[in-house]
C-alpha cells in the first residue's frame, strides 16, 4: 500500500477563483431590487444545492444553465457550469464522465477567457487522469494550468499535485525536488492548510527513500492539522503514520489506522475508510480481521452502487436536457406554421372586434337605461317616504299638538295638576316625534348596528307591553351584508309598529338563531291575531314581505283570531 498523498481538488481552485474575483463582482451588483432572470434563479439554486452536497439537484441546474445559454454570448456561463458539473462528477467518483465534461470546455477557450477558468479546468483534468492512472496526461494538464497561473498560492497547489503524480509513479526523488522548495516558501508556511499538505507529501516521499527526516515531517503535518481542526487532513496524516509504522511497530500502525478510520467516518469519506480498513486488516487477526474485512466489502459495495447511481443520474439529466432541446427545435418549427395560421385568423378577428364593439354599445345603453330606472325608483321611494312621514305627522302628531294647545288655552296652568298633565302630553308628543325621526333616519350597519337595533326594539317596551329578545348576541353580525342589516332593521320596526297599532298584546318574543348558513328570526305575540288572508291588506304587512323577498329570503305568517300573531323569517347570511 502506498502512503496517502494529498492532492488539491478542483473546488479548492474554484474557491480561490471567487475570492480573487469578488471585488470585481461586487461592483456589478445592482443597488436597487429587480426581478431575477432565469439564469439568476438557476445559478442561485445550483449554488445552494452544491453547497449542501445535494449534487444531483445541483448538476441538474448547472446543466439547465448550460442548455439555455447562447454559445456566442454566454461563454462564461457555459464554462462555469461545465466546470461545476465536472467537479460534481469527480466528487462522485465518475472520473471518465468528469474528464469528458471538462474536455467540452477546451474548444470554448479564447484569448479573452478568464485564466482562472483555464486553471480550474486543467487542474480538474489533471486529477481525473491521475485517478484513471494516466499519469503522463495528469502531469501534462497540471503543467498547462501552471502556465496560466500568476498567483503564488495557486502555483503551490498545482506543484503539490504534480509532486503527488511523481509519487504515484514511484519517482520519489522528483517529488522531493518539488516539495522541499515548497516547504521553505514563506507563503506556504503562512498558510497552515497548504503547509500541512506539502509536509505530508514530503514526509511520505522521504519514507519511501529511507530518509530519517520522514517521521518529523509526518508528525509536524499532523500537529498542524490538529491545530486548525482539519478533519479531512487528519485522515491523511494518520494514514501516513500508520503506513510508516506498519512493518516496524504494528501496534502503533493499528492505533493510527483506527484514528484515521474514526476521522474518515466523521467526515463521511468512504474511500479513506476503505484505505484505513485495509491497514486495520493487515494489522489484525481472527475475528477482528474478519470484522474489518466484512466492513471493507460492505463499504466498497456501497461506493460502487453510489458511483453507478450517480453516473446513471447524470447521464439521464444530460439525456433529458438534449431531448428538451430537440423538442424546443420542433416547437420553433411549429411556431412558423402557427404564424401562417394566425394570418388567416386576422380576418376572423375583425369580425369578432365588430361584434365586441356592438356588444359594448348595447351593454352601455342597458347600463344607463337601468341606471335611469333605478334613479326613478329612488325618487319614487323618496316621494313615498315623504308621504308616509306627512301622514304620520298628520295622524299621530297633529291631533296631539292641537289638544295640547287647546288644553293650554282653556285650563289654569297655575294648577300643578294641569301643569303636570300638559308636560306629560308634551313628552308624549316629543317621544312620537323622535320615533318618526328614527324610523326614517340612516341606519348604522357597523359596530353600532346591534346597540341601535336593541334601542329601537326597546322603544316599544311599555308598562303594558313586554318585549323579550333571545339570541341576538349569538349571531355573527360581521358576516351579514349592510343591505341585509338595513332590511332586517326595517322589517322588525314595521312588525313592531304593526303590533302597537293592531295587536293589543301584552307580550312579544323575538328570537334570533343561525340555521345552516341562514339567519332565522321568529316573531310572536299574544295579541288578537287576524285572518291569514287579510293580513297583508288589513295590517299593511305587504312591505315586510317585499323587503324579505328582495334579499332572497322567505317569510311565513301564522295567525288566528284571538290566538296571537307569529312570523318566521329566513334569509342567507
Amino acid at each position: 500500500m502506498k502512503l496517502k498523498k494529498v492532492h488539491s481538488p478542483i473546488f479548492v481552485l474554484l474557491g480561490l477563483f471567487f475570492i480573487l474575483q469578488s471585488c470585481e463582482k461586487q461592483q456589478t451588483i445592482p443597488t436597487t431590487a429587480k426581478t431575477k432572470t432565469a439564469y439568476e434563479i438557476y445559478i442561485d439554486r445550483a449554488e445552494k444545492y452544491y453547497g449542501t452536497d445535494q449534487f444531483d439537484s445541483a448538476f441538474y441546474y448547472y446543466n439547465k444553465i448550460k442548455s439555455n445559454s447562447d454559445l456566442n454570448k454566454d461563454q462564461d456561463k457555459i464554462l462555469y457550469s461545465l466546470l461545476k458539473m465536472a467537479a460534481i462528477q469527480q466528487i462522485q467518483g465518475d472520473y471518465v464522465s468528469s474528464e469528458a465534461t471538462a474536455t467540452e470546455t477546451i474548444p470554448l477557450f479564447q484569448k479573452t477567457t478568464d485564466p482562472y477558468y483555464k486553471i480550474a479546468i486543467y487542474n480538474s483534468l489533471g486529477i481525473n487522469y491521475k485517478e484513471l492512472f494516466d499519469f503522463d496526461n495528469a502531469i501534462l494538464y497540471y503543467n498547462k494550468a501552471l502556465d496560466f497561473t500568476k498567483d503564488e498560492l495557486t502555483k503551490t497547489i498545482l506543484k503539490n499535485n504534480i509532486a503527488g503524480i511523481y509519487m504515484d509513479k514511484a519517482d520519489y526523488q522528483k517529488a522531493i525536488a518539488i516539495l522541499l522548495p515548497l516547504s521553505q516558501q514563506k507563503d506556504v508556511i503562512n498558510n497552515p492548510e497548504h503547509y500541512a499538505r506539502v509536509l505530508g507529501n514530503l514526509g511520505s516521499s522521504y519514507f519511501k527513500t529511507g530518509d530519517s527526516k520522514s517521521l518529523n515531517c509526518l508528525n509536524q503535518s499532523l500537529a498542524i492539522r490538529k491545530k486548525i481542526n482539519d478533519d479531512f487532513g487528519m485522515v491523511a496524516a494518520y494514514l501516513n503514520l500508520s503506513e510508516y509504522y506498519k512493518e516496524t511497530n504494528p501496534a502503533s500502525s493499528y492505533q493510527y489506522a483506527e484514528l484515521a478510520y474514526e476521522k474518515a467516518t466523521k467526515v463521511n469519506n468512504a474511500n479513506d475508510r476503505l484505505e484505513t480498513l485495509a491497514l486495520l486488516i493487515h494489522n489484525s487477526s481472527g475475528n477482528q480481521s474478519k470484522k474489518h474485512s466484512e466492513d471493507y466489502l460492505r463499504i466498497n459495495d456501497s461506493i460502487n452502487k453510489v458511483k453507478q447511481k450517480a453516473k446513471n443520474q447524470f447521464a439521464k439529466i444530460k439525456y433529458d436536457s438534449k431531448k428538451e432541446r430537440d423538442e424546443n427545435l420542433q416547437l420553433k418549427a411549429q411556431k412558423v406554421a402557427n404564424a401562417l395560421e394566425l394570418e388567416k385568423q386576422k380576418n376572423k378577428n375583425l369580425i369578432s372586434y365588430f361584434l365586441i364593439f356592438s356588444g359594448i354599445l348595447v351593454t352601455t345603453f342597458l347600463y344607463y337605461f337601468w341606471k335611469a330606472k333605478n334613479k326613478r325608483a329612488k325618487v319614487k321611494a323618496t316621494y313615498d317616504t315623504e308621504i308616509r312621514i306627512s301622514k304620520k305627522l298628520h295622524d299621530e302628531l297633529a291631533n296631539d299638538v292641537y289638544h295640547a294647545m287647546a288644553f293650554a288655552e282653556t285650563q289654569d296652568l297655575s294648577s300643578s295638576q294641569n301643569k303636570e298633565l300638559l308636560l306629560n302630553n308634551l313628552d308624549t308628543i316629543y317621544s312620537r316625534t323622535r320615533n318618526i325621526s328614527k324610523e326614517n333616519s340612516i341606519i348604522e350597519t357597523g359596530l353600532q348596528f346591534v346597540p341601535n337595533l336593541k334601542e329601537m326594539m326597546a322603544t316599544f317596551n311599555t308598562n303594558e307591553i313586554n318585549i323579550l329578545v333571545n339570541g341576538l348576541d349569538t349571531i355573527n353580525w360581521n358576516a351579514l351584508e349592510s343591505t341585509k342589516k338595513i332590511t332586517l332593521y326595517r322589517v322588525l320596526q314595521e312588525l313592531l309598529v304593526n303590533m302597537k297599532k293592531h295587536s293589543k298584546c301584552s307580550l312579544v318574543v323575538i328570537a334570533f338563531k343561525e340555521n345552516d348558513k341562514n339567519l332565522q328570526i321568529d316573531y310572536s305575540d299574544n295579541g288578537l291575531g287576524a285572518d291569514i288572508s287579510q293580513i297583508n291588506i288589513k295590517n299593511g304587512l305587504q312591505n315586510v314581505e317585499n323587503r324579505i323577498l328582495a334579499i332572497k329570503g322567505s317569510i311565513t305568517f301564522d295567525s288566528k283570531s284571538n290566538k296571537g300573531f307569529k312570523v318566521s323569517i329566513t334569509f342567507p347570511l
Side-chain angles (χ1 to χ4, degrees), residues 23 102 471:
C23 293

Side-chain angles (χ1 to χ4, degrees), residues 22 27 34 75 102 168 235 257 273 321 331 369 390 421 493 498 522 527 555:
S22 62
Q27 294 172 0
K34 63 181 182 66
Q75 289 188 345
D168 285 323
V235 176
R273 289 175 71 190
S321 177
L331 288 174
F369 173 78
S390 177
L421 185 58
Q493 192 176 51
N498 182 74
D522 293 319
I555 183 167

Side-chain angles (χ1 to χ4, degrees), residues 69-78:
S69 296
D70 190 321
L71 190 61
N72 298 318
K73 298 178 182 178
D74 304 318
Q75 289 188 345
D76 282 351
K77 294 177 184 177
I78 297 172

Side-chain angles (χ1 to χ4, degrees), residues 410-426:
T410 60
Q411 301 298 318
D412 182 10
L413 297 182
S414 61
S415 168
S416 59
Q417 183 178 357
N418 290 338
K419 185 177 181 181
E420 182 68 25
L421 185 58
L422 176 61
L423 289 173
N424 287 337
N425 289 338
L426 290 174

Side-chain angles (χ1 to χ4, degrees), residues 191-202:
N191 189 308
E193 183 180 353
H194 296 303
Y195 188 39
R197 185 181 294 121
V198 170
L199 285 176
N201 284 344
L202 182 60

Side-chain angles (χ1 to χ4, degrees), residues 7-17 123 157 193-194 197:
H7 287 250
S8 300
I10 184 173
F11 47 79
V12 172
L13 291 178
L14 281 175
L16 286 173
F17 171 74
N123 181 68
I157 293 172
E193 183 180 353
H194 296 303
R197 185 181 294 121

